[in-house]
Amino acid sequence: MDLDTTRKRPRESGVAVDRLSALPDCLLHVIMSFMKARQVVQTCMLSKRWEHLWCTVPCLDVDHREFQSTGEAAQGDNEVWQNFEDFADNLMLHHQIAHLDTFQLHVNDVYRWGQHASRWIRRSIKYNTKVPGIPRPGLSCSSWSLKRLHLSNICLDDLFAKHISSMCCSLEDLNLKGCRFAFNEITSHSLKSLVIDSCDSKLCPSKLVVTAPAIASLCLIVKLWFFPGGLFVNEMPFLSKASILVSATYDGKNFQHNQSKFLGSLCNVTTLELSGFQTMHYIFQIIPEEPVELPEFKNLKILSLDKCDLSDNFQLLKHFLQNSPNLEKLTLRLCELPKDSKKRKGKAKAKKTRLVDIRCENLKLTEIIYDADDVLQLVGLLLNDSANLPKNNIKLSKVDR
């Protein structure tokens, strides 16, 4: 074979091709949206192409933890905060906030830094809303408005609540974790997802009222002693998924008084998780002179009761089984059950507990997670009415607390 006729490979040019920078701004913004804010700003050092790109990124995740260091280079809390504060001040000053789609802010301690950080929230909302007759830098008719707001350990004043109610008309996702409230009510007609996780209140007395008729997903993790005035949710006709975890002490009486009405506001859900709910017997004791109307859950398919009090002969459970015709899966996790009747040996046998007018004939699986032998009464309750639960399978799992 003639070697001269063999094909020669083209020589490498030796010049690196920056294909990433060749992407359009919209794709680069998508990539940057997965990064923390400090990393986003640092991209300005890559090349001339990236110098100002961070100023219009639609998602900002500003995180106090990014400025912490470990080992010999570890700094004190005050020095870490000063570095973070300088960074956040400059970021909010130079970024075109009017283009924000998502804003996330996390500080490490609500009691030390939460009040200082609240000013960034006010600025982000101020320059993110369209007010007729008032021009905003970088804001046009086609500019994006804030859709997602996630805050951790921030002090939020009454002005924040008013902005959410009247000015954030595009806000769909609000997540508040470990924040301190100086207001009693959250109102929004645009919200579709709301999470309030372990927040407390500066007010005394305080309560928490949620008015958001467009909500589809709701998660409330609330310590009731921070809201002794009660927890109230107005009707949510589009709600499909709800997770409600309450921790109650003697300060939770106002919530227990309102528990039936609270459940009524959740009646449209398809998936419901309740944790820490008290007995229905407790409600009747509080308001014996008032008729208590319990809601019907026509759309409910998945129900989870976690650490709820069922010691009043399973009244809360009975209500769901009698008023949830489309229920398909039931999970009972570490609930407080009636005491077993084993101590009654030699005495007359206790009457069997039965379900009356049971309606959830589509129930396919009941999962019972327990830590005591008292579960036998619960199993008996379900087996006694097995004819009305023809598709139901019972799964038992014992755990150690």
Side-chain angles (χ1 to χ4, degrees):
M1 183 175 65
D2 189 356
L3 295 178
D4 293 335
T5 62
T6 58
R7 295 182 180 179
K8 296 181 180 179
R9 295 180 181 178
R11 293 183 179 180
E12 299 284 341
S13 64
V15 179
V17 179
D18 185 1
R19 291 188 175 89
L20 184 60
S21 296
L23 295 174
D25 286 6
C26 59
L27 290 182
L28 293 177
H29 279 157
V30 171
I31 296 171
M32 297 168 76
S33 296
F34 291 95
M35 303 162 63
K36 296 286 188 179
R38 192 181 191 186
Q39 295 174 322
V40 168
V41 175
Q42 289 171 343
T43 61
C44 70
M45 304 297 294
L46 294 176
S47 68
K48 193 74 174 178
R49 169 78 173 88
W50 293 77
E51 186 175 356
H52 301 293
L53 198 60
W54 66 272
C55 295
T56 53
V57 67
C59 301
L60 281 181
D61 186 355
V62 187
D63 197 331
H64 192 175
R65 293 167 293 191
E66 270 199 288
F67 291 78
Q68 292 178 308
S69 54
T70 57
E72 296 180 359
Q75 298 174 320
D77 289 345
N78 289 332
E79 189 175 355
V80 170
W81 171 256
Q82 290 172 5
N83 292 335
F84 173 65
E85 186 177 35
D86 290 342
F87 169 80
D89 283 342
N90 282 285
L91 174 69
M92 302 302 289
L93 180 64
H94 293 96
H95 190 278
Q96 295 184 28
I97 300 175
H99 292 274
L100 274 180
D101 173 82
T102 299
F103 184 67
Q104 300 181 68
L105 175 61
H106 175 97
V107 300
N108 292 341
D109 189 332
V110 65
Y111 297 103
R112 294 186 65 181
W113 318 118
Q115 189 63 49
H116 297 286
S118 62
R119 69 179 187 273
W120 299 319
I121 304 303
R122 289 193 296 269
R123 178 177 175 83
S124 67
I125 293 176
K126 179 181 178 181
Y127 289 98
N128 213 310
T129 52
K130 301 175 184 179
V131 181
I134 302 179
R136 300 296 193 199
L139 188 63
S140 66
C141 294
S142 60
S143 295
W144 295 341
S145 295
L146 192 66
K147 293 182 179 179
R148 284 170 286 277
L149 180 60
H150 292 201
L151 307 175
S152 298
N153 301 321
I154 312 295
C155 291
L156 303 173
D157 56 19
D158 187 53
L159 182 61
F160 169 82
K162 290 179 180 178
H163 276 305
I164 294 296
S165 173
S166 60
M167 300 179 71
C168 292
C169 300
S170 299
L171 189 64
E172 297 180 355
D173 179 3
L174 179 61
N175 189 314
L176 306 176
K177 184 175 182 179
C179 295
R180 298 204 75 196
F181 298 163
F183 51 83
N184 283 323
E185 183 170 1
I186 294 178
T187 300
S188 172
H189 293 279
S190 60
L191 275 182
K192 295 181 180 178
S193 176
L194 175 63
V195 176
I196 299 178
D197 182 354
S198 306
C199 296
D200 64 24
S201 176
K202 294 180 179 180
L203 303 181
C204 185
S206 61
K207 61 181 180 180
L208 180 59
V209 181
V210 177
T211 303
I215 283 282
S217 176
L218 175 67
C219 178
L220 300 179
I221 303 175
V222 179
K223 295 179 180 178
L224 293 176
W225 54 83
F226 287 132
F227 301 96
L231 177 62
F232 304 88
V233 175
N234 291 318
E235 187 176 357
M236 299 176 174
F238 302 103
L239 186 66
S240 62
K241 182 178 181 180
S243 178
I244 314 297
L245 188 157
V246 295
S247 300
T249 60
Y250 62 89
D251 290 324
K253 289 183 178 179
N254 282 324
F255 174 71
Q256 306 305 341
H257 184 287
N258 186 60
Q259 184 167 294
S260 61
K261 185 180 292 186
F262 183 90
L263 289 174
S265 66
L266 309 177
C267 64
N268 293 301
V269 294
T270 57
T271 300
L272 177 61
E273 178 184 2
L274 301 179
S275 180
F277 274 63
Q278 296 294 312
T279 63
M280 303 300 286
H281 176 69
Y282 185 76
I283 297 175
F284 291 114
Q285 279 187 325
I286 294 176
I287 46 177
E289 73 285 353
E290 298 181 21
V292 179
E293 294 185 5
L294 301 177
E296 184 177 22
F297 293 83
K298 294 181 180 180
N299 303 321
L300 186 61
K301 293 185 177 181
I302 300 175
L303 172 65
S304 175
L305 300 181
D306 181 17
K307 297 180 182 177
C308 292
D309 192 344
L310 305 179
S311 61
D312 59 342
N313 202 24
F314 309 105
Q315 292 301 317
L316 180 61
L317 175 61
K318 286 180 180 180
H319 172 71
F320 278 108
L321 292 178
Q322 293 166 7
N323 293 278
S324 307
N326 295 302
L327 187 64
E328 296 179 0
K329 181 180 178 182
L330 171 65
T331 301
L332 303 170
R333 181 180 180 276
L334 300 178
C335 291
E336 185 175 348
L337 306 175
K339 298 302 180 183
D340 201 348
S341 57
K342 287 182 178 180
K343 298 178 181 179
R344 302 177 182 177
K345 288 183 178 180
K347 298 182 179 181
K349 291 184 178 180
K351 294 182 179 179
K352 289 185 177 181
T353 301
R354 292 188 60 86
L355 297 170
V356 180
D357 191 25
I358 190 169
R359 298 181 59 194
C360 53
E361 297 178 358
N362 295 317
L363 184 61
K364 298 175 183 177
L365 174 63
T366 299
E367 183 176 8
I368 303 174
I369 303 170
Y370 68 101
D371 64 347
D373 292 335
D374 293 344
V375 73
L376 295 177
Q377 285 193 69
L378 176 55
V379 174
L381 172 69
L382 297 171
L383 292 179
N384 287 342
D385 287 270
S386 58
N388 294 324
L389 300 170
K391 302 177 183 178
N392 187 35
N393 294 297
I394 300 176
K395 177 182 178 182
L396 297 176
S397 301
K398 187 170 183 178
V399 297
D400 296 325
R401 293 211 189 193

